[in-house]
Amino acid sequence: MSGDIAKVSGKGSSRSTGNNHFHHQHQPDQPAAPLSRYESQKRRDWNTFGQYLKNQRPPVAISQCNCNHVLDFLRYLDQFGKTKVHLHGCVFFGQPGPRAPCTCPLRQAWGSLDALVGRLRAAYEEHGGSQENNPFGNGAIRVFLREVKECQAKARGIPYKKKKKKKIQIKPNVKDEANSSSKQHPALLSSN
């Protein structure tokens, strides 16, 4: 996903958005450590979103963006997607592995959009935005992502299953077990 976003914005820019509340805090005295893959993607995504807002007519400052700008950006990114999403009239609608090509559109995969929103949500707050006003955390974004997920699952015939959390069982210590069973069942200890 992030690779697609980098194509949209070119090489990425670290120019300021013109708003003093939204800047990356950089300390020039310390040598810059190489960024992790996640941090690099987050930076690229943030720069791309900022460029997208600047290209709007009229341009939108990051501090003025809202969930509608985010939704428009996510829809805009669909044109760079690589996931085939079959339309209702397609003979392959609902089939997980179509055997022939079709003219259905390529879209951004739900998982890619979900990860992108998570990175942008974190970047927004790192650049001075408040958690309460974060447009990436707005309920409308969650609804949009849920609808994309359900639509893609139906169209591709692949249900998304929520991963079950593994239950961690802590085995009690043998002494603790003996003590707890004797407290609960005192008759067991007094057998002659």
Side-chain angles (χ1 to χ4, degrees), residues 171-189:
K171 294 183 179 180
N173 197 349
V174 177
K175 288 181 181 178
D176 293 342
E177 200 170 276
N179 289 340
S180 66
S181 63
S182 65
K183 288 177 187 173
Q184 292 173 351
H185 303 288
L188 295 176
L189 294 175

Side-chain angles (χ1 to χ4, degrees), residues 4-148:
D4 296 336
I5 293 174
K7 290 176 193 171
V8 175
S9 69
K11 292 188 177 183
S13 165
S14 60
R15 280 188 262 169
S16 170
T17 60
N19 184 331
N20 293 335
H21 297 290
F22 290 90
H23 64 281
H24 189 67
Q25 297 166 354
H26 176 69
Q27 297 174 355
D29 298 341
Q30 299 174 350
L35 296 176
S36 68
R37 183 170 181 253
Y38 171 79
E39 292 296 329
S40 296
Q41 285 180 325
K42 185 168 59 172
R43 178 184 283 182
R44 261 193 316 271
D45 295 342
W46 181 252
N47 290 336
T48 301
F49 182 67
Q51 190 61 48
Y52 172 81
L53 292 177
K54 285 179 191 174
N55 291 340
Q56 299 303 296
R57 295 292 165 242
V60 179
I62 295 247
S63 61
Q64 299 301 311
C65 83
N66 59 41
C67 66
N68 292 323
H69 296 107
V70 175
L71 291 171
D72 290 343
F73 178 64
L74 297 175
R75 290 183 190 110
Y76 161 78
L77 290 176
D78 260 346
Q79 65 186 310
F80 306 104
K82 297 175 184 165
T83 300
K84 180 74 76 169
V85 179
H86 300 288
L87 302 174
H88 281 284
C90 179
V91 295
F92 300 121
F93 182 83
Q95 295 184 17
R99 294 177 194 83
C102 68
T103 59
C104 292
L106 294 173
R107 301 273 166 86
Q108 289 291 344
W110 163 78
S112 298
L113 291 175
D114 187 50
L116 169 68
V117 167
R119 289 190 300 270
L120 289 173
R121 185 176 183 174
Y124 180 87
E125 292 173 20
E126 287 173 11
H127 286 82
S130 71
Q131 185 176 3
E132 296 79 24
N133 298 324
N134 191 330
F136 301 99
N138 188 285
I141 306 301
R142 289 191 295 276
V143 169
F144 173 81
L145 290 172
R146 187 179 333 117
E147 289 173 356
V148 168

